[in-house]
Amino acid sequence: AAAAQQAAEAAEEATVATGEAAVAVTVAEEAGAVIEDADAINWNGSWRSIWRGGQALLILEQSGSTITGTYQPGDATLSGSIEGVVAKGTWEQPGSTGEFEFALAPDGQSFVGRSGNGEYWNGERLDEERAAAAGFGSDTPRAALISLLSAANAAADGDSFAELSIRRYLAFPDGEEDLRNRNARVTQFLRLLNLSTFRALSAPDAGEAGLASFDVGPAGTEWTFPIAFIEAGADNWQLVVPPL
């Protein structure tokens, strides 16, 4: 129920932001202010992107008239070109691909756009300092667990950025490509953690051969399940999401 309410509120915010961004872009294009000032067009950074029924942490990099990026959840990449205030190109994630077209607002803090199927795909810029400070790092299994729990708690309190940052601490080494199944697995995994009682500081502070584990379960029972950790890169541990 709480998640449904948060989704409804996010959808309402997205609708308002879409209208404001669309008007701003139209005014800017008619005036020619943004298009004539090439230095004002800056797509670099982190964005909270929103579409019908979903959202993702979108990280974009601009180099001249070229734009590239990634977004999570989805393990997706995108690339394209920039013409005036408009960026357009293609996106690709395991099992699917499509097109995108974004138009940057005059203040550079939001964009209004659409995917290849005509559905809206809008975004708002995230504060880089906040993005860098999110979580407690993931240089150990313990740190990754604490960061995940902190992000999940903040997301439950309505923090949309925290909701997006959860995925950076999760791994799918089995190669699951279906995004719907991935989302279902994450939901169930977080429920299992929420039902459990444990001290996060008891989680392992190191691993062996890039692997670690930590048993958790409900208090007052003998039932437990293992949390598996995997070292995804240097100083970057993630929790393995169990099969559905």
Side-chain angles (χ1 to χ4, degrees):
Q5 182 179 352
Q6 292 172 16
E9 293 174 351
E12 183 177 353
E13 293 176 1
T15 300
V16 174
T18 298
E20 294 176 347
V23 171
V25 170
T26 299
V27 170
E29 289 178 336
E30 291 176 350
V34 175
I35 296 176
E36 292 176 0
D37 184 5
D39 292 336
I41 302 174
N42 178 16
W43 290 94
N44 290 309
S46 301
W47 304 77
R48 177 196 178 202
S49 68
I50 308 166
W51 58 82
R52 184 185 300 275
Q55 61 177 339
L57 176 60
L58 176 64
I59 300 177
L60 298 176
E61 183 174 347
Q62 173 183 338
S63 178
S65 60
T66 299
I67 188 170
T68 57
T70 61
Y71 66 79
Q72 292 287 352
D75 289 336
T77 60
L78 56 81
S79 62
S81 59
I82 301 170
E83 298 179 11
V85 297
V86 176
K88 61 176 65 176
T90 58
W91 57 267
E92 182 176 359
Q93 67 183 43
S96 60
T97 185
E99 299 179 347
F100 72 88
E101 184 174 3
F102 303 150
L104 191 66
D107 62 2
Q109 299 305 301
S110 62
F111 67 78
V112 60
R114 61 172 178 253
S115 58
N117 62 6
E119 289 283 357
Y120 73 83
W121 187 357
N122 305 327
E124 59 179 349
R125 191 183 294 274
L126 294 170
D127 181 80
E128 290 299 325
E129 290 186 3
R130 182 182 178 199
F136 295 88
S138 58
D139 57 335
T140 68
R142 180 189 302 166
L145 175 60
I146 293 175
S147 293
L148 173 66
L149 297 174
S150 298
N153 286 336
D157 288 335
D159 187 326
S160 59
F161 178 78
E163 185 176 349
L164 294 174
S165 67
I166 286 175
R167 301 305 177 97
R168 73 176 65 179
Y169 305 114
L170 301 176
F172 297 84
D174 57 2
E176 169 72 73
E177 295 185 350
D178 187 282
L179 184 57
R180 181 174 298 180
N181 285 346
R182 281 196 175 194
N183 290 338
R185 289 169 62 179
V186 171
T187 298
Q188 297 293 357
F189 185 41
L190 293 178
R191 284 179 178 174
L192 286 171
L193 291 174
N194 194 44
L195 287 169
S196 302
T197 302
F198 56 89
R199 295 186 73 251
L201 292 179
S202 297
D205 200 33
E208 184 175 346
L211 301 173
S213 65
F214 179 50
D215 289 341
V216 301
T221 74
E222 296 181 356
W223 182 82
T224 64
F225 74 96
I227 299 176
F229 299 86
I230 188 170
E231 192 170 19
D235 295 328
N236 180 24
W237 284 85
Q238 295 177 318
L239 286 76
V240 176
V241 182
L244 190 57

